[in-house]
Each structure stands twice: as structure tokens, then as C-alpha cells.
Amino acid sequence: MSRLTRALCAASTVALVVSETAFAQSQLPPIVVQTAPKTTKRMSATPRAPHPAAAKRATLQVASRPPVPSAPSAGGGSLTVPTTAEATAAIERTPGAVAVVPDSRFKDGPANTIKDVLDWVPGVVTQPKSNIDNRVSIRGSGLTRNYGNRGINVYMDGIPINTADGLFDLFEIDPTAYRYAEVYKGANALQLGANALGGAINFVTPTGRNASAFDARFDAGSFGYVKSQFSTGGASGPYDWFVNGSAQREDGFRDHSSGNMERGSGNFGYRFSPDAETRFYINANTWRQRLPGELTKAVALNAPRSADSEFVRQDQQRNIDSVRLANKTTLRFGPTTVDFGVFTQQRRVDHPIYRYLDYHVSDYGGFARATDDRMIAGFRNRLIAGVNLQAGVIDYKEYDNPGNAVKGALLTSALQKSQNHSIYAENSFFIVPSVALIAGGQFLHAVRDQEDRFLSNGDQSGGRTWDIFSPKVGVLWDVDPAWQVFANASRNAEVPTFDANTFTSPASSDVTAQTATTFEIGTRGRRPDLTWDIALYRSEIRHELQCLRTSPYSLCSVVNADRTVHQGVEAGLGAAFLKSVFSPEDRLWFNLAYTYSDFFFDGDARWGNNRLPGAPPHAVRAEVLYKHPGGFYAGPNVEWMPKAYFADNANSLTIDPYALLNFRIGYDPGPGWSGYVEARNLLDTRYISSTMTADIATPASALFNPGYGRAIYGGLRYRM
């Protein structure tokens, strides 16, 4: 039986099993908010929220109705920033796997890392390292990276935060600052102009028109974790404002892993008219983090709190300060909406590791995007077209690190310049009111150029230019007002990043762009007490970028694989299987998120059809949750990796299966006081949470990061 056949069988099995089960918090997040509407005296003066099925009918029917221009919603939306409901309605016009995760899903817990935001989205794999640092991958993007992240385009409020060469840092992501997060898997991110294998993630902050006047919380937990957060927002006539700040510290589960950070963000909007609005953004962040390093498999499982002795001797750290400024302006001309803006981001990185890295990153760019939604000769047509311009310079230096994070002799000095300029378009033509045919594409012009300024070991200057066109076609069918079926075929491309010695010598400058052709089919829908979102995909990849560790304390080296395949199943389902247990409106939910990942070499000259390292073939999140309309909720959940996966291309060293038992209980009636207690890894299971990858690994290879032991967190929140 072929791997693809097994994938299809797995999808069929999942669909059969989950007809009795559920997942309310995954790909269809509005159900999380509305499955158990909160009916308290405090909220009795406001209209009751619509039934989930009615809300879904309204959302899905948007794709079939003729477009009707409207003013910003009375529910607190703005022209520049859609509300959660508006964002959900818009994203579900996509003929592929997408999700909107509302803040109600991730602010009812520690809300500390990107894993807290995205862990219930099928197809997204988040693997903790230490403290807030996580490796994130969608459909195998950046599969072999265990530091830094690539393969996903990340945005805040629709404005890029990746460096110009493609990397992104997760420390700048503060879950307590966002109203919702949008996830576009693969080429479904074309409407943002993104074209990475993993797609895009967009974190959206509130505005003064929908933010609480006062919102503060305090969280504390195991291993010295403490976090405080405060935000305020408001509006006066055409003006509105929102400000958020947080500070946290953690001693860390492992030795030599203490860290602290402060993050602040704000936006200021001005509405010229119902059809014209501009908004300014500022983000400032500082992070100080000690690094415990990777361990051998035996040490990671038998002494998981230990640190690598060489990391301790050199006092390896990652310290970053960053500032981001941006503007976005939205204009509406009847059925046409135009967004445009500019941005800049400055980062200073002080990073003593096996060498002492000291560099400054300066990125800047602009964007413009037009959405035209109108009737043409009696047929609805929706066109999205745009341009993204981004450039950046890294002033990069490496010094010797003889120990204790001391900056020694200069070893490397270079200016690394990147450009990414793209134009894109996606058109949806409705041949009948319930069926849209979609076609589009992106043209990318990318430049990577390095100027070597340290010539005592030879001139390492060099550069490359790429011009790549990536097309996409698809279909979206509204089977009924609460059920969609979709399919698409697409191409994507990623050019190499500057890190990991990609351009440090002419011999390595032949590392080329990764390209992939992806086929996808799926369905999503809601019934009154049942939700589902299922997708099957296959990506046939050429020149997959692998980042492989070649020596114990160095960074990984980037190479191109020949032909590889990523294929899998993503299933998010949810059902209320018991109703009116203690009151007429309460529910007992069973929630499930399942990701099947079948990634392998395709007839490689060296590795044959070996499995690709770095990602588990199966990842399961499941939960039974009681929800009372008054705001009380409680229930256990599990995180299960049922099958081992490999740490190397040779398939000689594995990461063992594990299962974690968790429990959460809380009370959230809406405005006013709320709180939670959450216990994680109750059985104190020892497991490996993430791994570096290698060509060939042995039991002596220090590649592994142990997962956290038993931990308990609690928090209080007050909002007006």
C-alpha cells in the first residue's frame, strides 16, 4: 500500500471516528465563543448572540451573495482592522485550509508562547525548546530547523515581521496582545502575497473601537514563571487608540535557561470618513535569555533539567532588542477597497554562542493591496491584487567566545543585503451563486548579496538573484449554507536565508531556491452541535532546504535535498455530546485536532525513500470540556504523539512516542473578574519536545531538547 493510499485511508478512518466526536477550537474557532453563550445579568442589556448554526449560515452565505458595501461594523470594527467575525467571513472565501483563532481560545490559559495560540490548529506543529522559544512548522515548513524559523510568512496586522531574507523570531509574539490570529496554510496565503510552503500567520491586535477600556492580568506558575499584562483602548470621534504592555520572567525548567522580557505595542487610528481610515503601529521588545543547549537522547530522558556543560562554560545567550514602526491606510471606493502602507523594523542581536554573534538587522518596505468585489454581467467576481516590497541589511559580525560570554577576536564581518519584491493576484469568479472558480499567481524577484569585510581568510563575497512565478487554481463550493467543499493546485517557492553559512563561500553559493507543487482537497462546515474542518494535501518538493548540524556546537549548515514529498491529513472536529447536564444551556464538548504528516525522500540517490527527520507522523490533541453558560469551564485534555520519528536523514536515531495528561479549570463570565488554573504534564512524563537534525546521528549526538516536567499555572484577569 502506497504512502498516499495510507494517507487517504487515515483520513477516512478519522472521518468515521469523529462523526461521534468533536473539535470546537480548531479550524472553526467562532464555535469556541458561541457553543455555550454566556448569559449573565451584566450582559442582559445587550442582544443575545446568535445561535452557532445561524452565525455559520451568515458566514458561509457571504460567498454566495452579491457584494454590498457597508460602513465599519457597529460591533467595534474599523476599516483598517476587521473584527473576528468579519475576518472569519473573509477567510472562508478561501478554497483551502485556513483558520481564525479568537483570543477567547488562548487567553483562558497562560497565553505565553505561540504554542498556546496555535496548538489546536491541525497541520500546525509547535515544538517547545526552552522558556518561550518554540519551533513552528506548517505542513513540514522549515522542517529541519531548531533555531530561528523559516518557511512561514508571519504578519502583525497584515504587515510583515519576517526579516527580509525570510527568518522570523517568535519572542516578538505576545499572545496577550492579540484579538485573533489568522492561519493560511500553504498557497492559501496568496491573498496576502505570501508564497512559502507553510503559508502565513497573521496576528491581529484590537483597536480602540473594540478594546476594553481597562484589561489587566497576572499569571504565575512553575519554574519561576511570572507574567503581568495591561492594556487600554478607547475612541473619541474620528480618533481611536490601543496600548498593550507585558513583562515576564522565568527561571526555566532546565539549568541555564532563565530569561525575561518586556513587550509593548500600540496603534493609533484616525477615520477621515466612513470610507477612509489610517492607522499607525509601534512595537518595542526586549528579550534576555540564557541557552541550555541540546542533549544526547539518554541525558534528555534521564536528566531532563540539565544543561550542556559547554553552553554553561561559554554562558551562551540570546539577547534581542527590537522596534517596529508601521502605517496602514484603507480607502473604499464603492465595491473596491485599497490598503497600502509602509513599515520598518530594527533589531539588535547580542548572541554569544559557540562564537559571539553581534549584529544589527534593518528591514523596511511597503505594500499595496486592492480588493474588488462586484457583479459582472450578472456574475459575482472578486479580485485581489497587490504588490509587496521589502529590503533589508544585516550588519553581521562574529567574534571568538573563549568563555563566560566574553567577546574575543573578530572572526567574521559582512554586510548581508536582501530584497524580496512580489506582485500577486487572485480572482474568484462565481459561475453559479454557490460555486467559485479561483485562479491567481505570484511573481517573486529576490536578491541575496553579501559583502565580506573580513578578508584575512579570503573574500567570501557573493550573491544570487531569483525570478520565480508561482500559479494557483482552485474551486470553492457552498454545498449548503453551512457546508463548504474546496480544492486547489498551486506552486510555491522559498529562497535561502543568510544564516547557517549559505553564502559564506563560493562553494556554498550554489544552494538554490526550494520549489513545491501542492494539491489539496477538503471540506469545512457546522451543524448546531457539530463542527468539522478536514483537508488532505500532497506537496512534491524540489531542492528542499535542509538545515543539518555537522559538528557538536556549530550552527547547522544549509543544503538542498533532491526530491521530497510532504503529504498528510489535517482534521479538526467538535461536538457537544451531552447537553443540559446541570442547567438548560450547558454543554459537554469533545474536541479533537489531528495531524498526519507523511514526509519522505522521493528516490534520493543517497537516502532512497527514507523518512524526512524533524516531525512526528501523528500528532493528536483531544479534550473533554464542560462549559456552563455562566462562564465556568473544566476538563482534561491530552497531547499525544503515538509514533516515533527520526532525528536524521539516515533514519538511525528516533524520538520516542509520548502522551501528556493535562487539566484546566476556570471561570470567565465576560467583563469583570475571571481566572484559571491549568496543570500540564500531570504524570511528569519524560519526553523530547524538539530536535535538531543531522545527516547521520548516533546515540552520542547532542540534538535533543527535553520537554517540561509537571507544571501548574494560574492567573487572574480583570477587564471593563
Side-chain angles (χ1 to χ4, degrees):
M1 183 181 292
S2 71
R3 284 187 169 94
L4 182 57
T5 303
R6 291 198 299 271
L8 293 171
C9 291
S12 301
T13 302
V14 169
L16 178 62
V17 171
V18 298
S19 63
E20 301 292 333
T21 59
F23 173 50
Q25 287 92 356
S26 65
Q27 298 264 37
L28 295 165
I31 292 299
V32 177
V33 181
Q34 296 175 348
T35 49
K38 295 167 179 143
T39 55
T40 65
K41 291 182 179 179
R42 185 188 306 274
M43 302 177 66
S44 60
T46 61
R48 169 176 283 218
H51 190 279
K56 181 61 182 181
R57 285 193 294 271
T59 299
L60 290 184
Q61 284 177 336
V62 169
S64 302
R65 295 176 183 148
V68 179
S70 62
S73 70
S78 76
L79 194 60
T80 48
V81 183
T83 64
T84 305
E86 291 167 344
T88 303
I91 204 171
E92 287 181 344
R93 296 169 182 169
T94 306
V98 291
V100 172
V101 185
D103 63 351
S104 58
R105 183 62 188 94
F106 51 84
K107 289 184 180 178
D108 60 357
N112 182 32
T113 72
I114 195 170
K115 182 178 175 67
D116 297 318
V117 180
L118 301 178
D119 210 29
W120 287 88
V121 180
V124 180
V125 175
T126 53
Q127 297 174 315
K129 294 172 59 180
S130 62
N131 290 10
I132 68 156
D133 205 6
N134 279 243
R135 188 172 80 92
V136 59
S137 175
I138 301 178
R139 296 183 172 180
S141 63
L143 185 62
T144 58
R145 298 195 67 94
N146 197 46
Y147 73 94
N149 284 274
R150 54 157 286 274
I152 302 171
N153 294 105
V154 182
Y155 300 81
M156 287 186 187
D157 300 293
I159 302 168
I161 66 170
N162 296 68
T163 59
D165 72 336
L167 290 177
F168 62 93
D169 270 310
L170 293 171
F171 92 96
E172 295 170 339
I173 306 302
D174 180 4
T176 60
Y178 307 120
R179 175 66 73 217
Y180 58 87
E182 299 173 312
V183 181
Y184 302 81
K185 301 175 191 174
N188 298 305
L190 178 60
Q191 58 195 278
L192 295 176
N195 193 33
L197 178 66
I201 304 170
N202 183 30
F203 297 93
V204 181
T205 56
T207 71
R209 299 189 183 279
N210 61 15
S212 299
F214 179 88
D215 189 344
R217 60 185 286 163
F218 178 80
D219 302 78
S222 300
F223 315 118
Y225 172 72
V226 178
K227 180 176 181 178
S228 59
Q229 176 267 340
F230 165 81
S231 70
T232 183
S236 177
Y239 302 95
D240 74 86
W241 61 90
F242 172 76
V243 177
N244 183 84
S246 69
Q248 71 184 71
R249 64 174 298 277
E250 185 174 4
D251 296 333
F253 171 66
R254 297 176 60 191
D255 297 337
H256 203 262
S257 67
S258 61
N260 63 82
M261 67 175 55
E262 293 80 40
R263 292 177 286 202
S265 63
N267 64 74
F268 173 81
Y270 183 81
R271 183 176 292 172
F272 299 99
S273 74
D275 294 316
E277 183 175 286
T278 191
R279 189 165 302 278
F280 295 88
Y281 295 91
I282 183 170
N283 299 81
N285 312 277
T286 182
W287 182 29
R288 301 293 181 265
Q289 178 71 58
R290 281 191 159 83
L291 305 176
E294 285 74 32
L295 305 172
T296 66
K297 181 177 178 178
V299 174
L301 294 176
N302 294 309
R305 303 196 67 171
S306 61
D308 185 291
S309 59
E310 182 67 7
F311 277 66
V312 176
R313 185 190 72 80
Q314 292 186 307
D315 194 14
Q316 296 198 18
Q317 306 171 32
R318 195 161 190 234
N319 308 310
I320 306 178
D321 299 303
S322 70
V323 176
R324 173 178 174 267
L325 300 172
N327 171 264
K328 178 183 178 182
T329 299
T330 301
L331 306 175
R332 184 164 48 203
F333 307 94
T336 304
T337 301
V338 178
D339 301 299
F340 59 91
V342 294
F343 61 90
T344 182
Q345 182 141 338
Q346 309 295 317
R347 294 181 178 94
R348 166 68 194 284
V349 182
D350 183 79
H351 194 14
I353 47 175
Y354 75 107
R355 290 183 176 179
Y356 200 121
L357 279 55
D358 185 353
Y359 56 97
H360 180 268
V361 183
S362 178
D363 291 311
Y364 48 91
F367 61 92
R369 179 176 183 262
T371 303
D372 182 83
D373 199 337
R374 68 177 69 214
M375 304 298 291
I376 299 177
F379 295 91
R380 183 185 176 190
N381 191 82
R382 182 171 183 260
L383 172 66
I384 299 173
V387 57
N388 292 323
L389 307 173
Q390 185 177 12
V393 177
I394 303 174
D395 186 351
Y396 184 82
K397 295 182 178 69
E398 285 185 14
Y399 301 84
D400 184 33
N401 180 7
N404 298 315
V406 173
K407 190 180 292 185
L410 180 67
L411 301 175
T412 299
S413 178
L415 279 180
Q416 300 172 336
K417 303 175 184 178
S418 300
Q419 298 178 43
N420 292 304
H421 307 316
S422 64
I423 56 174
Y424 63 93
E426 183 176 271
N427 193 78
S428 302
F429 182 76
F430 291 79
I431 56 174
V432 296
S434 61
V435 179
L437 302 181
I438 292 95
Q442 182 214 57
F443 177 77
L444 171 67
H445 174 73
V447 178
R448 302 290 183 266
D449 184 79
Q450 175 167 281
E451 177 188 341
D452 189 2
R453 300 177 301 189
F454 185 81
L455 303 177
S456 61
N457 59 348
D459 189 350
Q460 312 294 320
S461 300
R464 296 285 301 278
T465 299
W466 292 269
D467 294 296
I468 304 171
F469 177 69
S470 300
K472 174 186 176 181
V473 295
V475 60
L476 179 64
W477 174 29
D478 292 325
V479 181
D480 65 33
W483 175 19
Q484 290 180 323
V485 174
F486 55 81
N488 68 75
S490 62
R491 188 174 188 262
N492 64 66
E494 297 174 36
V495 301
T497 55
F498 263 119
D499 69 321
N501 303 318
T502 302
F503 290 95
T504 56
S505 72
S508 62
S509 65
D510 60 352
V511 175
T512 192
Q514 168 185 303
T515 60
T517 300
T518 300
F519 306 92
E520 178 183 1
I521 188 170
T523 177
R524 55 178 166 254
R526 290 183 179 88
R527 295 295 184 253
D529 290 306
L530 176 68
T531 72
W532 69 90
D533 203 317
I534 301 174
L536 289 77
Y537 70 92
R538 178 183 172 93
S539 296
E540 299 174 352
I541 305 173
R542 294 293 306 273
H543 311 303
E544 179 168 357
L545 293 164
Q546 287 195 300
C547 203
L548 305 173
R549 172 169 273 191
T550 55
S551 60
Y553 297 109
S554 68
L555 301 178
C556 61
S557 297
V558 173
V559 298
N560 289 118
D562 186 12
R563 294 178 181 268
T564 56
V565 172
H566 293 197
Q567 61 185 10
V569 180
E570 302 157 349
L573 302 110
F577 64 94
L578 284 178
K579 308 176 187 179
S580 304
V581 181
F582 300 108
S583 75
E585 296 289 336
D586 68 356
R587 296 286 189 274
L588 200 62
W589 286 89
F590 182 86
N591 303 319
L592 176 70
Y594 170 69
T595 300
Y596 172 62
S597 303
D598 185 20
F599 306 154
F600 55 93
F601 290 97
D602 187 12
D604 187 83
R606 184 179 183 190
W607 304 119
N609 294 322
N610 278 7
R611 296 196 63 85
L612 289 165
H618 304 277
V620 181
R621 291 302 311 269
E623 176 181 57
V624 174
L625 186 68
Y626 173 78
K627 299 185 73 174
H628 189 276
F632 174 79
Y633 58 89
N637 65 82
V638 296
E639 180 177 347
W640 182 30
M641 192 191 81
K643 187 176 181 179
Y645 65 97
F646 294 102
D648 61 343
N649 288 338
N651 290 183
S652 59
L653 190 62
T654 62
I655 293 86
D656 296 336
Y658 63 85
L660 308 180
L661 175 64
N662 314 307
F663 189 90
R664 63 190 182 109
I665 183 172
Y667 175 69
D668 184 2
W673 287 99
S674 59
Y676 74 91
V677 174
E678 184 167 330
R680 298 180 175 179
N681 193 6
L682 279 167
L683 303 180
D684 202 22
T685 299
R686 293 186 175 185
Y687 68 104
I688 290 170
S689 60
S690 68
T691 181
M692 296 192 75
T693 55
D695 246 356
I696 302 174
T698 71
S701 299
L703 301 172
F704 305 104
N705 290 284
Y708 270 46
R710 183 187 296 113
I712 299 177
Y713 302 92
L716 288 174
R717 181 183 184 190
Y718 181 81
R719 61 191 187 273
M720 299 171 59

